[in-house]
Amino acid sequence: MDPREKVIPLAPGRPPLDTLRRPIHDLRISVMDRCNFRCPYCMPRETFHESYRFLKSSERLDFTEILRLARVFERAGVKKIRITGGEPLLRPNLADLIGDLTQLPGIDDIALTTNGMLLAKYATELKAAGLARITVSLDTLDPAVFARMSGGFGGVGEVLEGIEAARRAGLAPIKINTVVQRGVNDHTVLDLLAHFRGTGVIVRFIEYMDVGTRNHWNPALVVPSRELREAIHARWPVEPRDRDYRGEVAERYAFADGSGELGFISSVSQPFCGDCSRARISSDGSFYTCLFATQGVDLRAPLRAGASDDELYELIRGVWSGRRDRYSELRASLRDASDLHKVEMNYIGG
Ligand SMILES: C[S@@+](CC[C@H](N)C(=O)[O-])C[C@H]1O[C@@H](n2cnc3c(N)ncnc32)[C@H](O)[C@@H]1O
Ligand code: SF4
């Protein structure tokens, strides 16, 4: 056991802390395991092909079940909910769920991550339901590179239209998630920034991670944030900004000329497990305490068997109190472990 770990006794009524004294602050809910893209770093086509068995709709949590779990997690300390997937906008009537989640008094932030393909269609509806802000994934503005990174689906034009629709609908801030891979899209990063600088849209660069077991992760394709930041700084000087809150994943920077903010998510080169306060629920209701988890705890079975809110709360509290995960910090030693069957990202969400 890591010397920093300590089993914290379960104090009734008090939100749980894990063995590293981390609270549950964020809940990421995957509402859909399917996706309309096949980004090779997430859902490579050779695995997620036409006969791949995705969940049946009856296997996914319905909105009543998601809402119930969100309430129980709220009691366990969750303040922020992110809706993700797969592609969350493929889930029919998603705005209804957002509307219900905004009614939870303890939740002060609801966010959504989307690949943007369906955003032009849904932006107004999502805003009307109470969604305040949005994150759109966009790896490049170059059509050929985009096609390579989306597995041949969608297009830059549709995603930009989605971003524009989000802006018109009043979703703010709009953040862009950009996964950077060496030799794939790193040469297009400055063009992407040139496009969004000065518009209020915040681009966040994400180091290519070894999520799941099927994305053939190759550390040589990781561009460390520091290297990227130096290249950006040489073109437009940037300055660090304070983190918004403990456990925030992105390191924030601002253009020195006042053209706005950008961010770096460096899970590979600078693991941030120490402050990680994120819990995840997969589309079929498994509870994961780490993005790199090898197994989850089934919440759907007790939900469907009639468990009370108190029973669900005790289950969640027990799991969180025993949480020891710090995969990113231990990556090098764990990667060699042959029995590591990490869960796929489309299933639990990024
Ligand atoms: C799994 S996606 C789900 C939501 C939606 N489909 C989207 O792409 O925004 C959430 C985020 O995870 C990121 N992601 C997926 N695979 C990744 C990887 N191997 N390394 C780093 N980020 C990854 C995506 O770029 C996206 O921003
Ligand atoms: S990153 Fe998002 S858009 Fe790309 S395959 Fe994964 S879930 Fe789909």
Side-chain angles (χ1 to χ4, degrees), residues 41-42 84-87 113-114 137 177 179 207 209 211 215 345:
Y41 51 72
C42 177
T84 180
E87 176 45 43
T113 307
T114 170
S137 301
N177 274 0
V179 176
E207 287 177 351
M209 294 185 287
V211 282
N215 78 353
M345 195 142 171

Side-chain angles (χ1 to χ4, degrees), residues 239-260:
E239 300 162 342
R241 285 279 177 275
D242 288 341
R243 285 195 310 183
D244 272 343
Y245 59 91
R246 181 182 170 215
E248 184 177 25
V249 291
E251 278 179 286
R252 299 171 55 210
Y253 280 77
F255 292 107
D257 65 4
S259 299

